[in-house]
Short mmCIF file of all heavy atoms in Angstrom, two decimals:
data_model
loop_
_atom_site.label_atom_id
_atom_site.label_comp_id
_atom_site.label_asym_id
_atom_site.label_seq_id
_atom_site.Cartn_x
_atom_site.Cartn_y
_atom_site.Cartn_z
N VAL A 1 0.84 -1.20 0.00
CA VAL A 1 0.00 0.00 0.00
C VAL A 1 0.88 1.24 0.00
O VAL A 1 0.61 2.22 -0.71
CB VAL A 1 -0.96 -0.01 1.21
CG1 VAL A 1 -1.73 1.31 1.31
CG2 VAL A 1 -1.94 -1.18 1.13
N GLU A 2 1.98 1.21 0.75
CA GLU A 2 2.90 2.35 0.78
C GLU A 2 3.52 2.58 -0.59
O GLU A 2 3.68 3.73 -1.02
CB GLU A 2 3.97 2.11 1.83
CG GLU A 2 4.94 3.26 2.01
CD GLU A 2 6.01 2.94 3.06
OE1 GLU A 2 6.36 1.76 3.25
OE2 GLU A 2 6.48 3.91 3.70
N ARG A 3 3.88 1.50 -1.29
CA ARG A 3 4.50 1.65 -2.63
C ARG A 3 3.54 2.35 -3.58
O ARG A 3 3.95 3.13 -4.45
CB ARG A 3 4.86 0.28 -3.19
CG ARG A 3 6.03 -0.40 -2.55
CD ARG A 3 6.40 -1.69 -3.25
NE ARG A 3 7.34 -2.48 -2.47
CZ ARG A 3 7.00 -3.52 -1.72
NH1 ARG A 3 5.74 -3.93 -1.69
NH2 ARG A 3 7.91 -4.17 -1.03
N ARG A 4 2.24 2.05 -3.44
CA ARG A 4 1.26 2.59 -4.38
C ARG A 4 0.85 4.01 -4.04
O ARG A 4 0.33 4.71 -4.92
CB ARG A 4 0.03 1.68 -4.41
CG ARG A 4 0.35 0.28 -4.91
CD ARG A 4 -0.90 -0.54 -5.16
NE ARG A 4 -0.54 -1.93 -5.46
CZ ARG A 4 -1.37 -2.79 -6.05
NH1 ARG A 4 -2.60 -2.40 -6.40
NH2 ARG A 4 -0.96 -4.02 -6.29
N THR A 5 1.02 4.42 -2.81
CA THR A 5 0.63 5.76 -2.41
C THR A 5 1.65 6.35 -1.44
O THR A 5 1.35 6.63 -0.28
CB THR A 5 -0.82 5.79 -1.85
OG1 THR A 5 -1.15 7.11 -1.47
CG2 THR A 5 -1.01 4.84 -0.71
N PRO A 6 2.88 6.52 -1.92
CA PRO A 6 3.97 6.94 -1.01
C PRO A 6 3.79 8.33 -0.42
O PRO A 6 4.36 8.62 0.63
CB PRO A 6 5.21 6.87 -1.91
CG PRO A 6 4.68 7.01 -3.30
CD PRO A 6 3.36 6.32 -3.30
N ASP A 7 3.01 9.18 -1.07
CA ASP A 7 2.81 10.51 -0.53
C ASP A 7 1.83 10.52 0.65
O ASP A 7 1.78 11.49 1.40
CB ASP A 7 2.27 11.45 -1.61
CG ASP A 7 3.30 11.72 -2.69
OD1 ASP A 7 4.51 11.56 -2.41
OD2 ASP A 7 2.90 12.09 -3.82
N ASP A 8 1.06 9.43 0.77
CA ASP A 8 0.01 9.38 1.82
C ASP A 8 0.34 8.43 2.97
O ASP A 8 -0.19 8.59 4.07
CB ASP A 8 -1.33 8.93 1.21
CG ASP A 8 -1.98 10.00 0.35
OD1 ASP A 8 -1.65 11.19 0.55
OD2 ASP A 8 -2.82 9.64 -0.49
N VAL A 9 1.17 7.41 2.71
CA VAL A 9 1.30 6.28 3.64
C VAL A 9 2.73 6.16 4.15
O VAL A 9 3.70 6.39 3.41
CB VAL A 9 0.87 4.96 2.97
CG1 VAL A 9 1.24 3.75 3.80
CG2 VAL A 9 -0.64 4.99 2.72
N THR A 10 2.84 5.76 5.42
CA THR A 10 4.13 5.38 5.99
C THR A 10 4.00 4.05 6.70
O THR A 10 2.94 3.72 7.24
CB THR A 10 4.63 6.46 6.97
OG1 THR A 10 5.90 6.05 7.49
CG2 THR A 10 3.66 6.66 8.13
N THR A 11 5.09 3.29 6.66
CA THR A 11 5.18 2.09 7.49
C THR A 11 6.30 2.25 8.52
O THR A 11 6.70 1.27 9.15
CB THR A 11 5.44 0.84 6.64
OG1 THR A 11 6.66 1.01 5.89
CG2 THR A 11 4.27 0.54 5.71
N THR A 12 6.80 3.46 8.69
CA THR A 12 7.83 3.74 9.68
C THR A 12 7.33 3.40 11.07
O THR A 12 6.27 3.90 11.48
CB THR A 12 8.26 5.21 9.63
OG1 THR A 12 8.76 5.49 8.32
CG2 THR A 12 9.33 5.52 10.67
N TRP A 13 8.07 2.56 11.79
CA TRP A 13 7.54 2.07 13.05
C TRP A 13 7.54 3.11 14.16
O TRP A 13 6.55 3.32 14.84
CB TRP A 13 8.32 0.82 13.51
CG TRP A 13 7.83 0.36 14.86
CD1 TRP A 13 8.54 0.30 16.01
CD2 TRP A 13 6.51 -0.07 15.17
NE1 TRP A 13 7.73 -0.15 17.03
CE2 TRP A 13 6.48 -0.38 16.55
CE3 TRP A 13 5.33 -0.21 14.43
CZ2 TRP A 13 5.34 -0.83 17.20
CZ3 TRP A 13 4.17 -0.66 15.09
CH2 TRP A 13 4.21 -0.95 16.44
N TRP A 14 8.66 3.79 14.38
CA TRP A 14 8.75 4.71 15.50
C TRP A 14 7.94 5.97 15.22
O TRP A 14 8.16 6.66 14.22
CB TRP A 14 10.20 5.06 15.80
CG TRP A 14 10.98 3.87 16.24
CD1 TRP A 14 11.96 3.23 15.54
CD2 TRP A 14 10.84 3.14 17.46
NE1 TRP A 14 12.43 2.16 16.25
CE2 TRP A 14 11.77 2.08 17.44
CE3 TRP A 14 10.01 3.29 18.59
CZ2 TRP A 14 11.90 1.17 18.48
CZ3 TRP A 14 10.14 2.39 19.64
CH2 TRP A 14 11.07 1.34 19.58
N ARG A 15 7.03 6.26 16.11
CA ARG A 15 6.11 7.39 15.91
C ARG A 15 6.88 8.69 15.69
O ARG A 15 6.48 9.51 14.84
CB ARG A 15 5.17 7.50 17.11
CG ARG A 15 4.06 8.51 16.93
CD ARG A 15 3.14 8.55 18.13
NE ARG A 15 2.01 9.43 17.89
CZ ARG A 15 0.85 9.04 17.38
NH1 ARG A 15 0.67 7.77 17.06
NH2 ARG A 15 -0.13 9.90 17.17
N LYS A 16 7.96 8.90 16.44
CA LYS A 16 8.71 10.14 16.35
C LYS A 16 9.33 10.33 14.96
O LYS A 16 9.67 11.46 14.57
CB LYS A 16 9.81 10.18 17.41
CG LYS A 16 10.88 9.10 17.24
CD LYS A 16 11.93 9.16 18.33
CE LYS A 16 12.96 8.06 18.20
NZ LYS A 16 13.70 8.07 16.94
N ASP A 17 9.48 9.24 14.20
CA ASP A 17 10.11 9.32 12.88
C ASP A 17 9.10 9.43 11.75
O ASP A 17 9.50 9.56 10.59
CB ASP A 17 10.97 8.08 12.65
CG ASP A 17 12.14 7.98 13.62
OD1 ASP A 17 12.60 9.05 14.09
OD2 ASP A 17 12.57 6.86 13.93
N ARG A 18 7.80 9.38 12.06
CA ARG A 18 6.79 9.44 11.01
C ARG A 18 6.47 10.86 10.61
O ARG A 18 6.45 11.76 11.44
CB ARG A 18 5.50 8.75 11.47
CG ARG A 18 5.61 7.28 11.70
CD ARG A 18 4.27 6.72 12.17
NE ARG A 18 4.47 5.54 12.99
CZ ARG A 18 3.68 5.19 14.00
NH1 ARG A 18 2.63 5.92 14.31
NH2 ARG A 18 3.94 4.10 14.70
N ASP A 19 6.16 11.03 9.33
CA ASP A 19 5.66 12.31 8.83
C ASP A 19 4.27 12.52 9.42
O ASP A 19 3.37 11.70 9.20
CB ASP A 19 5.59 12.26 7.30
CG ASP A 19 5.20 13.59 6.68
OD1 ASP A 19 4.48 14.37 7.33
OD2 ASP A 19 5.57 13.81 5.51
N PRO A 20 4.02 13.60 10.15
CA PRO A 20 2.71 13.79 10.80
C PRO A 20 1.57 14.01 9.82
O PRO A 20 0.41 14.00 10.23
CB PRO A 20 2.93 15.03 11.68
CG PRO A 20 4.08 15.76 11.06
CD PRO A 20 4.97 14.69 10.47
N ARG A 21 1.88 14.20 8.54
CA ARG A 21 0.83 14.39 7.54
C ARG A 21 0.39 13.08 6.92
O ARG A 21 -0.55 13.06 6.12
CB ARG A 21 1.33 15.32 6.44
CG ARG A 21 1.70 16.73 6.92
CD ARG A 21 2.50 17.47 5.88
NE ARG A 21 3.78 16.78 5.64
CZ ARG A 21 4.66 17.17 4.75
NH1 ARG A 21 4.42 18.22 3.97
NH2 ARG A 21 5.81 16.50 4.59
N LYS A 22 1.07 11.98 7.27
CA LYS A 22 0.79 10.70 6.60
C LYS A 22 -0.07 9.78 7.46
O LYS A 22 -0.33 10.03 8.64
CB LYS A 22 2.10 10.01 6.25
CG LYS A 22 2.86 10.69 5.12
CD LYS A 22 4.04 9.85 4.67
CE LYS A 22 4.73 10.48 3.47
NZ LYS A 22 5.83 9.61 2.96
N LEU A 23 -0.51 8.71 6.81
CA LEU A 23 -1.28 7.66 7.49
C LEU A 23 -0.38 6.47 7.72
O LEU A 23 0.34 6.02 6.82
CB LEU A 23 -2.48 7.26 6.62
CG LEU A 23 -3.40 6.17 7.19
CD1 LEU A 23 -4.85 6.46 6.78
CD2 LEU A 23 -3.01 4.78 6.71
N PHE A 24 -0.38 5.96 8.93
CA PHE A 24 0.40 4.78 9.29
C PHE A 24 -0.48 3.54 9.15
O PHE A 24 -1.55 3.46 9.76
CB PHE A 24 0.89 4.92 10.74
CG PHE A 24 1.65 3.72 11.26
CD1 PHE A 24 2.70 3.17 10.55
CD2 PHE A 24 1.31 3.16 12.48
CE1 PHE A 24 3.40 2.08 11.03
CE2 PHE A 24 2.00 2.08 12.99
CZ PHE A 24 3.06 1.52 12.26
N VAL A 25 -0.05 2.59 8.32
CA VAL A 25 -0.74 1.31 8.22
C VAL A 25 -0.16 0.43 9.32
O VAL A 25 0.95 -0.09 9.20
CB VAL A 25 -0.58 0.66 6.83
CG1 VAL A 25 -1.33 -0.66 6.78
CG2 VAL A 25 -1.11 1.60 5.74
N ASP A 26 -0.91 0.27 10.39
CA ASP A 26 -0.38 -0.33 11.62
C ASP A 26 -0.49 -1.85 11.58
O ASP A 26 -1.42 -2.44 12.13
CB ASP A 26 -1.12 0.24 12.84
CG ASP A 26 -0.42 -0.14 14.15
OD1 ASP A 26 0.53 -0.93 14.10
OD2 ASP A 26 -0.87 0.36 15.21
N TYR A 27 0.52 -2.45 10.98
CA TYR A 27 0.59 -3.92 10.88
C TYR A 27 0.80 -4.57 12.23
O TYR A 27 0.47 -5.75 12.42
CB TYR A 27 1.74 -4.31 9.93
CG TYR A 27 3.02 -3.59 10.25
CD1 TYR A 27 3.92 -4.09 11.18
CD2 TYR A 27 3.31 -2.35 9.67
CE1 TYR A 27 5.08 -3.42 11.50
CE2 TYR A 27 4.46 -1.66 10.00
CZ TYR A 27 5.34 -2.21 10.91
OH TYR A 27 6.48 -1.52 11.25
N ASN A 28 1.34 -3.85 13.18
CA ASN A 28 1.67 -4.46 14.47
C ASN A 28 0.43 -4.77 15.30
O ASN A 28 0.53 -5.45 16.33
CB ASN A 28 2.62 -3.57 15.27
CG ASN A 28 3.65 -4.38 16.03
OD1 ASN A 28 4.25 -5.29 15.48
ND2 ASN A 28 3.84 -4.05 17.31
N GLN A 29 -0.74 -4.33 14.85
CA GLN A 29 -1.96 -4.72 15.54
C GLN A 29 -2.24 -6.20 15.40
O GLN A 29 -3.15 -6.73 16.04
CB GLN A 29 -3.16 -3.91 15.01
CG GLN A 29 -3.09 -2.42 15.27
CD GLN A 29 -3.19 -2.07 16.75
OE1 GLN A 29 -3.12 -2.92 17.63
NE2 GLN A 29 -3.37 -0.79 17.04
N ASN A 30 -1.45 -6.89 14.58
CA ASN A 30 -1.59 -8.33 14.40
C ASN A 30 -0.60 -9.12 15.25
O ASN A 30 -0.56 -10.35 15.17
CB ASN A 30 -1.43 -8.71 12.93
CG ASN A 30 -2.53 -8.11 12.09
OD1 ASN A 30 -3.62 -8.65 12.00
ND2 ASN A 30 -2.25 -6.95 11.47
N ALA A 31 0.20 -8.43 16.04
CA ALA A 31 1.13 -9.12 16.95
C ALA A 31 0.34 -9.76 18.09
O ALA A 31 -0.77 -9.34 18.42
CB ALA A 31 2.16 -8.14 17.48
N ARG A 32 0.96 -10.74 18.72
CA ARG A 32 0.28 -11.45 19.81
C ARG A 32 -0.07 -10.49 20.95
O ARG A 32 0.74 -9.67 21.37
CB ARG A 32 1.20 -12.56 20.33
CG ARG A 32 0.53 -13.52 21.28
CD ARG A 32 1.50 -14.60 21.74
NE ARG A 32 0.84 -15.66 22.47
CZ ARG A 32 0.55 -15.60 23.78
NH1 ARG A 32 0.89 -14.52 24.47
NH2 ARG A 32 -0.05 -16.61 24.37
N ASP A 33 -1.31 -10.63 21.44
CA ASP A 33 -1.81 -9.84 22.56
C ASP A 33 -1.96 -8.36 22.24
O ASP A 33 -2.09 -7.54 23.14
CB ASP A 33 -0.93 -10.02 23.82
CG ASP A 33 -1.60 -9.49 25.09
OD1 ASP A 33 -2.83 -9.59 25.18
OD2 ASP A 33 -0.88 -8.99 25.98
N HIS A 34 -1.97 -8.01 20.95
CA HIS A 34 -2.34 -6.66 20.57
C HIS A 34 -3.80 -6.69 20.15
O HIS A 34 -4.22 -7.58 19.39
CB HIS A 34 -1.49 -6.15 19.40
CG HIS A 34 -0.11 -5.76 19.81
ND1 HIS A 34 0.47 -4.60 19.39
CD2 HIS A 34 0.79 -6.37 20.62
CE1 HIS A 34 1.69 -4.49 19.90
NE2 HIS A 34 1.90 -5.56 20.65
N THR A 35 -4.58 -5.76 20.63
CA THR A 35 -6.02 -5.76 20.33
C THR A 35 -6.47 -4.38 19.92
O THR A 35 -5.86 -3.37 20.31
CB THR A 35 -6.84 -6.23 21.54
OG1 THR A 35 -6.63 -5.34 22.63
CG2 THR A 35 -6.47 -7.66 21.95
N ILE A 36 -7.56 -4.32 19.16
CA ILE A 36 -8.23 -3.06 18.87
C ILE A 36 -9.71 -3.26 19.08
O ILE A 36 -10.21 -4.38 19.18
CB ILE A 36 -7.92 -2.57 17.43
CG1 ILE A 36 -8.16 -3.66 16.39
CG2 ILE A 36 -6.52 -2.04 17.33
CD1 ILE A 36 -7.85 -3.19 14.96
N ALA A 37 -10.43 -2.16 19.18
CA ALA A 37 -11.85 -2.22 19.51
C ALA A 37 -12.62 -3.01 18.45
O ALA A 37 -12.40 -2.85 17.25
CB ALA A 37 -12.41 -0.81 19.63
N ALA A 38 -13.52 -3.84 18.92
CA ALA A 38 -14.32 -4.70 18.04
C ALA A 38 -15.33 -3.88 17.24
O ALA A 38 -15.69 -2.76 17.60
CB ALA A 38 -15.06 -5.74 18.88
N ALA A 39 -15.80 -4.48 16.17
CA ALA A 39 -16.97 -3.93 15.49
C ALA A 39 -18.11 -3.82 16.51
O ALA A 39 -18.36 -4.73 17.30
CB ALA A 39 -17.39 -4.84 14.33
N TYR A 40 -18.75 -2.65 16.50
CA TYR A 40 -19.88 -2.31 17.39
C TYR A 40 -19.44 -1.97 18.79
O TYR A 40 -20.28 -1.65 19.64
CB TYR A 40 -20.96 -3.38 17.40
CG TYR A 40 -21.55 -3.61 16.03
CD1 TYR A 40 -21.22 -4.73 15.29
CD2 TYR A 40 -22.37 -2.66 15.44
CE1 TYR A 40 -21.72 -4.91 14.00
CE2 TYR A 40 -22.87 -2.83 14.16
CZ TYR A 40 -22.54 -3.95 13.45
OH TYR A 40 -23.03 -4.12 12.17
N SER A 41 -18.13 -1.99 19.08
CA SER A 41 -17.69 -1.54 20.40
C SER A 41 -17.83 -0.02 20.49
O SER A 41 -17.43 0.72 19.60
CB SER A 41 -16.24 -1.92 20.64
OG SER A 41 -15.79 -1.38 21.88
N VAL A 42 -18.40 0.43 21.60
CA VAL A 42 -18.40 1.84 21.93
C VAL A 42 -16.97 2.22 22.32
O VAL A 42 -16.21 1.39 22.82
CB VAL A 42 -19.39 2.13 23.07
CG1 VAL A 42 -19.43 3.62 23.40
CG2 VAL A 42 -20.78 1.65 22.70
#
């Protein structure tokens, strides 16, 4: 996704190193014991 839209996307891991204008595709949400809010979660 980053290759196709390099002006919009970053995969840079460390937050301090990311361009604040870009979108981070957070692949690390798939690491063990990492969770995000479920569908329909308030």
Side-chain angles (χ1 to χ4, degrees):
V1 174
E2 183 181 30
R3 288 185 192 101
R4 297 189 187 198
T5 180
D7 293 338
D8 287 338
V9 169
T10 180
T11 57
T12 300
W13 176 243
W14 296 109
R15 188 179 185 91
K16 64 181 178 60
D17 296 331
R18 294 179 208 147
D19 185 332
R21 298 165 297 177
K22 290 189 176 184
L23 180 145
F24 177 50
V25 180
D26 191 354
Y27 49 88
N28 217 46
Q29 296 293 12
N30 296 278
R32 190 179 190 276
D33 194 34
H34 284 225
T35 61
I36 50 180
Y40 300 105
S41 175
V42 181

